[in-house]
């Protein structure tokens, strides 16, 4: 996958880490989700600043050096993503996430006990999560925590799905007026404006 294609797919417009993760693979794909790949997952973690570019480069190489660990993390990530999509769909439809869609979130929260630590990297100090257990699941910890905040009572009040029915993207409405309707003004919002203009124009002529 080219770097440009990866950065398009990882475009962050959801407003919350877990929302962007649920959208991952769906941005600009016409609503049809692409299966999560190792490259897309690592590019996302880098774009969302969960890992540094240096760490991201090392993680990309793990696909070859420790294929089992990579496969295990990727399968957990896919499970988490599909659970978030189900949970968020239920919340945006006015309902509640099921126990089934919450369980993968709890699983990650459970295995990612750890602490934050200052790490010197790329000439600067950055705060990084250090897991107690020696697996890669800690990479999903911040996503699971973000999801838990949204799925806990009251947290989903601003979670929406894009008003374009063919889009399928979620976003977290942090606008002052709470009236955000589109995943992005540049894509769905603009498409709607153009269509509405064409309709008005046609109406006037007839
Ligand atoms: Zn949209």
């Amino acid at each position: 996958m080219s770097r440009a294609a990866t950065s398009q797919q990882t475009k962050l417009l959801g407003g919350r880490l877990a929302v962007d993760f649920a959208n991952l693979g769906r941005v600009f794909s016409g609503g049809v989700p692409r299966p999560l790949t190792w490259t897309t997952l690592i590019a996302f973690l880098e774009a969302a600043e969960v890992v540094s570019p240096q760490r991201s480069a090392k993680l990309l190489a793990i696909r070859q050096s420790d294929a089992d660990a990579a496969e295990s993390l990727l399968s957990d990530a896919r499970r988490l993503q599909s659970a978030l999509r189900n949970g968020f769909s239920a919340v945006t439809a006015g309902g509640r996430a099921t126990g089934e869609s919450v369980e993968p979130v709890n699983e990650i929260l459970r295995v990612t006990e750890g602490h934050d630590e200052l790490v010197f990297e790329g000439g600067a100090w950055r705060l990084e999560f250090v897991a107690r257990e020696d697996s890669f699941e800690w990479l999903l910890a911040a996503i699971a925590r973000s999801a838990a905040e949204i799925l806990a009572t009251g947290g989903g009040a601003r979670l929406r799905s894009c008003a374009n029915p063919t889009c399928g993207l979620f976003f977290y409405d942090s606008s002052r007026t709470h009236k955000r309707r589109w995943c992005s003004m540049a894509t769905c919002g603009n498409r709607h404006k153009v269509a509405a203009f064409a309709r008005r124009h046609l109406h006037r002529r007839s």
Side-chain angles (χ1 to χ4, degrees):
M1 198 188 299
S2 78
R3 189 123 192 133
T6 308
S7 84
Q8 271 225 328
Q9 272 198 45
T10 51
K11 202 163 177 127
L12 308 176
L13 34 80
R16 283 287 183 282
L17 182 61
V19 177
D20 282 320
F21 182 67
N23 286 342
L24 187 60
R26 222 175 205 174
V27 181
F28 306 126
S29 65
V32 184
R34 294 193 191 92
L36 192 61
T37 65
W38 184 251
T39 318
T40 316
L41 175 64
I42 302 306
F44 172 77
L45 294 172
E46 184 186 331
E49 294 178 357
V50 173
V51 297
S52 66
Q54 289 88 343
R55 172 85 73 162
S56 159
K58 278 182 212 154
L59 284 167
L60 279 177
I62 280 167
R63 189 96 180 106
Q64 269 79 46
S65 62
D66 193 349
D68 286 350
E71 201 44 59
S72 152
L73 177 69
L74 190 57
S75 107
D76 282 350
R78 284 181 178 149
R79 210 164 99 79
L80 180 65
Q81 191 184 46
S82 113
L84 292 189
R85 283 177 180 165
N86 290 338
F88 290 170
S89 293
V91 171
T92 54
R96 208 183 324 123
T98 60
E100 217 172 289
S101 39
V102 160
E103 188 44 35
V105 178
N106 279 342
E107 261 171 43
I108 302 293
L109 291 175
R110 224 170 277 142
V111 299
T112 51
E113 251 188 299
H115 61 274
D116 286 329
E117 207 172 272
L118 284 165
V119 180
F120 197 72
E121 218 167 29
W125 290 103
R126 46 177 284 130
L127 200 57
E128 201 170 273
F129 181 77
V130 181
R132 186 180 291 176
E133 275 186 53
D134 194 22
S135 72
F136 287 116
E137 267 66 22
W138 65 269
L139 286 163
L140 305 175
I143 299 170
R145 220 176 307 147
S146 160
E149 282 165 15
I150 293 170
L151 293 173
T153 309
R158 299 217 184 163
L159 186 69
R160 312 243 190 291
S161 59
C162 179
N164 171 6
T166 62
C167 170
L169 291 188
F170 299 105
F171 62 87
Y172 197 84
D173 184 7
S174 37
S175 71
R176 203 173 42 84
T177 53
H178 307 178
K179 281 183 180 157
R180 180 173 161 192
R181 293 183 62 203
W182 314 104
C183 64
S184 148
M185 258 338 271
T187 54
C188 293
N190 196 45
R191 211 169 294 151
H192 175 79
K193 255 193 345 214
V194 169
F197 178 81
R199 263 199 310 275
R200 272 200 307 274
H201 198 67
L202 203 71
H203 196 70
R204 228 176 285 145
R205 275 174 43 177
S206 59

